[in-house]
Amino acid sequence: MNLSSQNSIAAHFRSLHKPGQPLILGNVYDASTASIVASLPVTKAVATASFAIAAVEGVHDDDLTQEQNFAAIKKIAAVVLPKNLPLTADLQDGYEDIQETIRQVISLGAVGCNLEDVDNKSRKLRTLDDAVHRIKLAMEAAREAGVPDFAINARTDVLCHGGLVEDAIERGKAFLAAGANTVFVWGGPSGRGVTRDEVVMLVAAFEGRLNVILRFGEGFLSVAELREIGVARISVGPGLYRAAMTAFKNAAEGLLGA
């Protein structure tokens, strides 16, 4: 893929993020799941999930190495790119050299990424200035690599580190000003979660440019409800991985217990 075509796909990917008409992403974690999602006529883009990639590798998400993550992304890209679908990759915190990370993922064909504001090694929340600087560096690298419309979904873990929704709003606005396309406010699994009222506040603060993770099951906001609130993007993180593993476990138990 030439860079002009890749940036056209990136621009298209950005355009899919419409408040009230959210882009829905079924996160994948290997070539097999990527093939399934990419083959669906309703699929508009494909996203990876580092938690699920780590699980396949037999490690915790925090211990997934850059090399392991990129090996999986490369295999996923080989399935997705021939379908002319945008691919966005979960890059955790972006690793040590954020600009080199962006250059590498662009070279694999990705047109967007998730980028966290927690240092993956120390597990400490980065300062706002540091997190903003890294987003600016990432966008600078994307422009230099020929994909200026590269779309960053900037994740903040401030709620998991004792912060308030007002802190998430401050960070999110700064991330958007630095060049991020959308903001993802993480509230779990160890955090307190994000309430419906807070989702409404975040949508208003970010003019709809919010990514919300969809939880399967009762008691969680549905796609229809999130659409009505006005979010621009819905993802499932490791949700499909967990659903697949539950089905695998049930089938295995049925087989071995027969």
Side-chain angles (χ1 to χ4, degrees):
M1 182 190 304
N2 63 56
L3 289 173
S4 176
S5 296
Q6 190 169 352
N7 192 60
S8 294
I9 293 173
H12 170 64
F13 179 58
R14 278 181 171 257
S15 75
L16 294 174
H17 296 76
K18 299 175 182 177
Q21 301 177 50
L23 170 65
I24 302 174
L25 296 166
N27 300 74
V28 305
Y29 47 91
D30 59 14
S32 180
T33 53
S35 179
I36 291 170
V37 171
S39 69
L40 298 175
V42 292
T43 296
K44 296 180 179 180
V46 177
T48 72
S50 69
F51 181 99
I53 289 173
V56 171
E57 291 291 329
V59 299
H60 189 273
D61 192 18
D62 295 344
D63 298 320
L64 181 70
T65 66
Q66 181 177 359
E67 291 73 23
Q68 289 172 316
N69 195 15
F70 269 77
I73 293 169
K74 184 176 182 179
K75 293 176 182 177
I76 290 166
V79 173
V80 173
L81 298 187
K83 301 285 188 180
N84 291 318
L85 289 168
L87 173 64
T88 181
D90 185 345
L91 299 181
Q92 301 177 292
D93 69 342
Y95 311 109
E96 292 187 15
D97 187 339
I98 182 65
Q99 291 195 307
E100 180 59 24
T101 297
I102 297 300
R103 286 191 287 267
Q104 287 182 21
V105 82
I106 285 176
S107 73
L108 294 180
V111 296
C113 75
N114 265 36
L115 197 60
E116 303 168 9
D117 63 355
V118 167
D119 185 302
N120 206 42
K121 286 187 175 180
S122 69
R123 303 311 306 160
K124 292 181 179 179
L125 190 71
R126 295 182 185 275
T127 66
L128 178 55
D129 287 345
D130 185 25
V132 166
H133 180 59
R134 287 173 67 81
I135 290 172
K136 289 180 178 178
L137 288 176
M139 289 306 302
E140 180 181 282
R143 287 191 293 271
E144 291 175 352
V147 188
D149 288 309
F150 190 81
I152 294 177
N153 185 42
R155 169 176 145 175
T156 178
D157 284 31
V158 68
L159 296 185
C160 301
H161 290 259
L164 304 173
V165 68
E166 288 79 10
D167 300 310
I169 288 173
E170 179 186 18
R171 284 184 171 247
K173 285 185 173 180
F175 295 166
L176 292 171
N181 186 53
T182 46
V183 176
F184 174 25
V185 178
W186 179 237
S190 59
R192 62 172 180 77
V194 182
T195 68
R196 179 192 177 96
D197 287 346
E198 288 174 337
V199 171
V200 171
M201 290 174 62
L202 292 164
V203 164
F206 303 151
E207 298 181 341
R209 297 168 67 183
L210 179 71
N211 180 118
V212 173
I213 191 166
L214 180 76
R215 298 293 189 187
F216 297 128
E218 295 188 10
F220 299 104
L221 291 172
S222 66
V223 170
E225 289 172 317
L226 290 170
R227 185 180 287 124
E228 183 179 359
I229 292 171
V231 307
R233 171 166 161 160
I234 299 170
S235 56
V236 296
L240 291 177
Y241 163 79
R242 289 188 172 122
M245 291 303 100
T246 296
F248 185 94
K249 180 176 180 290
N250 291 340
E253 287 177 343
L255 171 66
L256 300 176

